[in-house]
Amino acid sequence: MMYWRARHGRSKYRPWSVDNMETKKPNGLALLPIIIFLIVYLGSGIYYEYINPVEGGMGFYVTSVVVAFMVALAVAFVQNRDLPFDEKITACAKGIGDDNITIMLFIFLLAGAFSGVAKASGGADSTAYMLLDIIPANFAVPGLFIIACIISMAMGTSCGTITVLAPIAMSVAETAQLSLPLCIGTIVGGAMFGDNLSFISDTTIAATKTQGIAMKEKFKANFRIALPAAIATLILLVILCMNGGGAEIGHFDFNFWQALPYFAVLIAALCGINVFIVLGCGAILSMIMGLVTGSLTMSTAMSAMGEGTTGMFETMIVTILVASIGALMREFGGFEYILQMIQRGFKSRRGGEFGIGLLVSIMDIATANNTVAIVMAGPLAKNVSEHFDVSPARTASILDIFSCIWQGIIPYGAQLLIAAGIAGIGSITIVPFLFYQGFLLISVILSIVTGWGVKEKA
């Protein structure tokens, strides 16, 4: 580690050690690939979302993020002509071959396989309907929030949770005479809660592996911040719903055995069982339950697994491209430049934590993809955390929390666009009712300012 805190002094940092004399000279031009990426991707998104909208499409997803990163990688290769092309390839290979990157890619594959077969077996719908069956009519909206939290934690996907629950939220709004944006905003908030804490979500995988920690460590750090925000949201929703009528949710058919794999995976993950075992067993259990209940055949189960892993390909390619770009940026002095800038603006561990939050927030607002934002910001955040002596678990937590806050707020993100599309309303109308995201932002800021939830490094 480049810096360390004196044993009896929290704010004293050691200067660069002899071991780090080969550290690259800070070079702002090394960040040009990221700037080019933002111009290409953000510019395309703004154009197709607001200037020349694509009918029936989402403007920020017209230009593939993979294409934008390929352009950025090409720019990175053109830079620094003093470094031979072969050595640039070697730097990229080392970046891609990092242990954490390799583990991340394998987990993405397993998570895709589990999600694909579990959803195809009817597990997502059965889980939602089973929980909806026990909600009191007068507490339908708070109940929707809790269900969204649970399903998203089990599924590991906020978009999937929103797709399942949005039609039900529309029914609740109509029968209880409540605001439709309120009900839709409620499930979006719950979906982001679960996505942020789930052991199998893309964001958790990216945040933990870029920082080299176990998922349960990040979960504990996250939970201390997310729980107060969830409780505050629940209280507010109960108060708001007291002014409305009872909702006729109706009865939905569900199969407990189809829902079982989600709960099994959630419990096993919370128990700290290795994520490879959890996801592998979850996929097998989902397939077995689907075969037993008749919702799957062997051929459809295998196809579902294939579709699930295929759905992860873009994320995996992005991870490889970002690892390559990051390696070249590091080689050219870009990481040192960012660290230097954050050092100038922030002088303490609290400042370092705010710097990490600001870094990933900018990335998410620019890319409208919280997983990509974490993959991009992760290596940079690791450098910042080492200097300011922020624990890896705390860093992973801050990365995930800030990315999920903004991903759940920006009206051009997939979550709000999907929710708005199903409900037939504008995504902007949902923003004022995103209570959980607002409380989570307050909670994480208070945590940084007060030091609440900070675990001292050994």
Side-chain angles (χ1 to χ4, degrees):
M1 184 170 293
M2 290 179 286
Y3 293 86
W4 63 292
R5 186 180 63 250
R7 183 178 294 274
H8 302 292
R10 294 177 57 181
S11 61
K12 296 179 181 179
Y13 300 98
R14 177 184 174 184
W16 294 102
S17 67
V18 175
D19 294 336
N20 292 293
M21 289 299 288
E22 294 182 1
T23 299
K24 304 298 180 182
K25 181 180 179 181
N27 178 14
L29 288 177
L31 302 180
L32 182 61
I34 294 300
I35 295 172
I36 294 298
F37 164 78
L38 295 177
I39 291 173
V40 173
Y41 189 74
L42 188 59
S44 171
I46 292 174
Y47 178 77
Y48 288 116
E49 182 72 25
Y50 302 109
I51 300 175
N52 185 22
V54 177
E55 186 176 352
M58 297 184 289
F60 275 79
Y61 298 88
V62 171
T63 298
S64 170
V65 67
V66 172
V67 173
F69 273 123
M70 287 177 64
V71 173
L73 182 58
V75 172
F77 269 110
V78 172
Q79 284 187 296
N80 194 357
R81 296 182 180 180
D82 293 335
L83 188 68
F85 181 80
D86 289 347
E87 291 186 25
K88 293 178 182 177
I89 291 291
T90 299
C92 291
K94 289 180 179 179
I96 297 170
D98 180 83
D99 290 352
N100 290 317
I101 296 295
T102 302
I103 292 171
M104 193 189 310
L105 295 174
F106 286 151
I107 294 176
F108 281 146
L109 281 175
L110 275 175
F114 167 70
S115 298
V117 71
K119 184 177 180 180
S121 70
D125 290 338
S126 287
T127 302
Y129 296 160
M130 182 174 67
L131 294 171
L132 283 167
D133 208 44
I134 61 176
I135 295 179
N138 291 330
F139 295 96
V141 176
L144 279 177
F145 177 72
I146 294 174
I147 290 172
C149 292
I150 294 173
I151 292 179
S152 188
M153 279 190 67
M155 292 177 63
T157 165
S158 52
C159 289
T161 300
I162 292 168
T163 301
V164 170
L165 292 181
I168 299 170
M170 294 171 64
S171 175
V172 169
E174 182 179 356
T175 58
Q177 298 182 341
L178 291 169
S179 163
L180 178 57
L182 165 65
C183 294
I184 295 297
T186 296
I187 63 167
V188 172
M192 298 315 297
F193 171 91
D195 194 15
N196 181 216
L197 289 172
S198 175
F199 282 76
I200 61 174
S201 73
D202 296 357
T203 57
T204 294
I205 296 168
T208 54
K209 295 312 167 187
T210 56
Q211 305 309 308
I213 61 165
M215 294 184 181
K216 62 181 180 181
E217 295 180 56
K218 178 256 187 188
F219 176 84
K220 292 176 183 177
N222 257 33
F223 194 70
R224 298 187 188 101
I225 299 172
L227 182 61
I231 292 174
T233 302
L234 200 56
I235 293 172
L236 179 58
L237 290 175
V238 169
I239 294 173
L240 290 175
C241 289
M242 285 180 178
N243 298 323
E248 293 295 332
I249 299 178
H251 175 75
F252 297 92
D253 293 327
F254 64 86
N255 189 307
F256 169 78
W257 300 109
Q258 293 174 358
L260 180 62
Y262 278 124
F263 292 107
V265 165
L266 182 58
I267 293 171
L270 289 172
C271 291
I273 298 175
N274 183 281
V275 66
F276 287 102
I277 297 175
V278 170
L279 291 173
C281 292
I284 294 171
L285 183 59
S286 295
M287 182 172 65
I288 292 173
M289 291 305 169
L291 294 173
V292 170
T293 59
S295 61
L296 289 177
T297 63
M298 185 59 71
S299 62
T300 57
M302 292 300 178
S303 295
M305 282 190 184
E307 290 174 4
T309 55
T310 300
M312 287 291 187
F313 284 177
E314 182 176 81
T315 301
M316 295 174 69
I317 295 300
V318 165
T319 300
I320 292 171
L321 290 173
V322 171
S324 300
I325 295 171
L328 292 175
M329 285 173 52
R330 184 186 293 110
E331 187 70 24
F332 301 158
F335 283 17
E336 284 72 20
Y337 180 80
I338 291 177
L339 179 59
Q340 184 183 77
M341 295 300 293
I342 292 179
Q343 284 179 272
R344 291 176 179 174
F346 304 102
K347 304 297 183 182
S348 65
R349 181 167 64 184
R350 292 188 182 90
E353 292 180 353
F354 273 119
I356 293 168
L358 179 62
L359 185 64
V360 74
S361 296
I362 293 172
M363 296 296 188
D364 187 78
I365 292 171
T367 64
N369 188 311
N370 46 349
T371 304
V372 172
I374 293 173
V375 171
M376 290 174 65
L380 304 175
K382 189 172 181 63
N383 279 25
V384 174
S385 68
E386 287 176 348
H387 171 65
F388 289 103
D389 213 13
V390 182
S391 72
R394 178 76 167 176
T395 302
S397 174
I398 291 173
L399 282 171
D400 206 344
I401 287 174
F402 274 99
S403 69
C404 282
I405 287 172
W406 294 110
Q407 188 64 28
I409 291 177
I410 52 177
Y412 51 85
Q415 285 76 3
L416 260 64
L417 290 175
I418 290 172
I422 294 174
I425 57 178
S427 60
I428 293 290
T429 65
I430 304 173
V431 174
F433 300 97
L434 300 173
F435 304 130
Y436 172 70
Q437 289 87 319
F439 283 126
L440 183 60
L441 180 59
I442 294 172
S443 183
V444 70
I445 290 175
L446 288 176
S447 175
I448 293 175
V449 171
T450 64
W452 169 256
V454 175
K455 184 178 180 181
E456 295 290 341
K457 295 174 66 176

